Amino acid sequence: MLADDNYTQVSAFVIVGFPSLQPEYFDIVGWFFFFLYVTIVLGNLLLVVVFALEHSVQKPMYIIMLSLALSDIGFPTVALPKLIARYWWNDGRLSFQTCLFQRHMIHYFGSLNSLILLTMALDRYFAICFPLRYPTVMTNQTMTGLTVLTWVVAHIFPSVSSYHIPTMLFCGLNKIMNVFCDTRSVVALVCGDISRKHMQSFATALFILYAPLSLIVISYIALIVTVLHVDSGKGLVKTFSTFATQGCIISIYYIPRFFVYAAPFFPSLTMTPDKRIAATLFYSLFPPLINPFIYCLRTKEIKQILRRWIQKRKSIFPKSMTLVKIEEK
């Protein structure tokens, strides 16, 4: 694309956030995202600490949970600080390179979570369908290797667009109509016809998200068939409860994404910028918020560890109070 009279070098972008939000609500919204960020980080950090201190949970399934917890810490750490600054101090400015870095990491963590959910589904598939072979196939070393592979492979597709975007020409507009830099928001500021670029980003997003989803669905169908033939009674109820819980998380993660990405191509799916941003925040931040409760606090072994920690604290606290009273006397 050749530069023309409408081309202006863009050195920085500005995060707009919710376009219709009135300034008198900026402080409240800023505090909301601040407390949301702290809750997400502390909840997922709890699992990281449990995994680091307790050797009993250093098993393949918990390695996946650790990977998910670290990813759930990473995404809001990339996305929310600048959004909070936007609403507290009206500081939504990002340099060109910082915006591109944020865009890369936003899509990186989206791809990574999709691959982690796939790894989790495959782990459950082998554990239930091949219980005798599972201990030899899914060792800690194998799961660690798969985890490292997912963290590396997730960089591939964001890196492709990260290479092309700096070569595009921008028409002087620098307002990101979103709460963070992502491909769609940045490409919308490019000069000329952007329909082809939107189609390319849409196709890439569908492949990254729904190729793993198709494998996840296949694995869960195989799991359900196996459980129906083998299990019964209380075990069957417990298994389907687990499927239902994970199915809700997977639905929250994938379905809203489809509508947000597909809206420009279907006139019947018209979304206002505020609704699109709200949907983006919902599928991006709600799973990291509740994942610690679903995958960790519902796990019997982790609940026992937390209960033991609390009991230790209670046993230490009365002793310290007794010592203080003795010293006072």
Side-chain angles (χ1 to χ4, degrees), residues 46-99:
L46 177 63
L47 175 61
V48 177
V49 172
V50 170
F51 186 86
L53 298 181
E54 297 288 338
H55 293 286
S56 62
V57 297
Q58 294 178 5
K59 303 174 183 177
M61 185 59 189
Y62 293 105
I63 292 175
I64 303 175
M65 290 184 180
L66 174 65
S67 178
L68 184 64
L70 292 173
S71 177
D72 285 345
I73 291 173
F75 181 89
T77 300
V78 170
L80 291 183
K82 177 51 67 174
L83 178 62
I84 295 170
R86 157 76 180 97
Y87 286 119
W88 274 357
W89 305 297
N90 197 27
D91 178 18
R93 187 181 183 278
L94 288 171
S95 69
F96 186 88
Q97 294 300 328
T98 303
C99 180

Side-chain angles (χ1 to χ4, degrees), residues 11-30:
S11 60
F13 293 99
V14 177
I15 301 296
V16 174
F18 291 93
S20 301
L21 186 66
Q22 299 301 313
E24 57 264 29
Y25 299 110
F26 281 10
D27 283 341
I28 297 175
V29 172

Side-chain angles (χ1 to χ4, degrees), residues 193-212:
D193 184 11
I194 61 173
S195 58
R196 182 180 177 184
K197 296 181 177 64
H198 273 312
M199 182 61 72
Q200 290 174 345
S201 62
F202 176 65
T204 302
L206 284 184
F207 178 79
I208 294 171
L209 294 172
Y210 293 101

Side-chain angles (χ1 to χ4, degrees), residues 105-143:
M105 297 306 296
I106 289 293
H107 294 293
Y108 168 71
F109 282 114
S111 303
L112 177 61
N113 277 3
S114 188
L115 294 175
I116 291 173
L117 291 175
L118 173 60
T119 306
M120 185 176 293
L122 293 177
D123 177 78
R124 292 300 86 199
Y125 172 78
F126 280 105
I128 295 176
C129 296
F130 303 97
L132 298 180
R133 298 179 59 184
Y134 177 80
T136 58
V137 174
M138 285 296 182
T139 62
N140 283 355
Q141 291 77 12
T142 302
M143 187 55 68

